[in-house]
Amino acid sequence: KEEAEKKAIEVLKVIGIARAEEIMKSYPHELSGGMRQRIMIAMAIAADPSLIIADEPTTALDVTIQAQILQLLRSLRERRGVSLILISHDLAVICENCDYVYVMYCGQIVEEADVRTFFQSPKHPYTQALIQASPDPEKKIDQLMAIKGTVPSIENIPEGCRFAERCPHKTERCTKVEPKLYEQNDGTKVKCFLFEEGR
């Protein structure tokens, strides 16, 4: 028990908790959201993993705490050589913290790209719509673009491309045949007939 407590205090100090001994005796409801998030990260790294999967690690945190949590994850990646899979709907978080991006729609990967190519040249119609629907602090607009329609129910997956009913480029083929991931010259992969070989 003493050894485990010592290790826990060490890990809390690694993630930047100054009063580790005191925090060890606290109940979750006595801690802030940011502090609870740090504790979760401490729990994740306690066993010295080679991979951390962080699913929406900054949800419901204010902007300052979000930045601290993301900085902590980056420093763990750099100092400990830990690989990180970051699951997020926040494109700004992806842009600043990832090397490679997988875009998913309705349970499937629809685009794969390195982060620079992803933002400079989005290919899949869903990816393009996502980026257009994200606010740009440098542009003043009255209304954000919305992606029309709704995501299909996972219990009632449509035939063909899962994005077809919402896609501005759909053809009859899209509603009947599921496209595969087509590899492009720049190394990206896109699950769309628009990027089929020879097109």
Side-chain angles (χ1 to χ4, degrees):
K1 187 180 176 183
E2 282 178 23
E3 193 179 326
E5 193 168 314
K6 186 180 173 189
K7 169 79 173 174
I9 289 168
E10 280 174 24
V11 172
L12 290 177
K13 286 179 178 174
V14 163
I15 63 158
I17 294 179
R19 305 164 312 160
E21 291 85 354
E22 186 183 326
I23 295 298
M24 277 280 295
K25 296 178 176 75
S26 302
Y27 289 98
H29 71 272
E30 297 174 320
L31 304 172
S32 68
M35 188 67 81
R36 287 195 299 262
Q37 200 73 315
R38 285 177 178 271
I39 301 294
M40 290 297 296
I41 294 168
M43 291 167 67
I45 67 167
D48 294 320
S50 56
L51 171 69
I52 294 175
I53 301 173
D55 189 353
E56 297 286 2
T58 58
T59 298
L61 299 176
D62 70 50
V63 178
T64 306
I65 303 300
Q66 282 184 14
Q68 291 173 4
I69 295 298
L70 291 168
Q71 178 54 44
L72 174 59
L73 289 170
R74 280 193 299 270
S75 71
L76 286 172
R77 193 174 70 178
E78 290 159 14
R79 286 184 298 151
R80 292 186 163 217
V82 174
S83 293
L84 177 66
I85 294 177
L86 180 60
I87 301 166
S88 181
H89 67 281
D90 188 330
L91 293 179
V93 167
I94 299 296
C95 181
E96 293 174 19
N97 296 282
C98 297
D99 299 318
Y100 206 79
V101 181
Y102 293 83
V103 179
M104 295 189 74
Y105 182 81
C106 198
Q108 290 185 332
I109 294 170
V110 294
E111 185 165 351
E112 301 176 17
D114 67 82
V115 74
R116 180 172 292 187
T117 305
F118 173 78
F119 283 101
Q120 286 179 348
S121 178
K123 293 178 175 56
H124 194 278
Y126 175 60
T127 305
Q128 292 171 353
L130 270 183
I131 290 173
Q132 290 172 357
S134 298
D136 184 342
E138 294 181 16
K139 293 179 185 171
K140 191 170 185 172
I141 55 170
D142 294 329
Q143 191 174 353
L144 286 175
M145 187 205 127
I147 303 172
K148 293 178 180 161
T150 57
V151 179
S153 164
I154 205 76
E155 296 167 349
N156 190 22
I157 298 293
E159 198 178 3
C161 174
R162 294 180 182 190
F163 188 63
E165 288 307 312
R166 303 176 78 187
C167 182
H169 307 291
K170 83 171 177 191
T171 63
E172 190 176 336
R173 182 183 182 200
C174 300
T175 62
K176 298 196 179 330
V177 181
E178 184 179 329
K180 64 177 191 169
L181 274 169
Y182 298 103
E183 188 159 1
Q184 305 303 294
N185 292 335
D186 60 5
T188 62
K189 292 181 183 174
V190 190
K191 191 178 181 80
C192 178
F193 291 124
L194 293 172
F195 295 89
E196 206 172 5
E197 276 182 59
R199 294 191 68 180

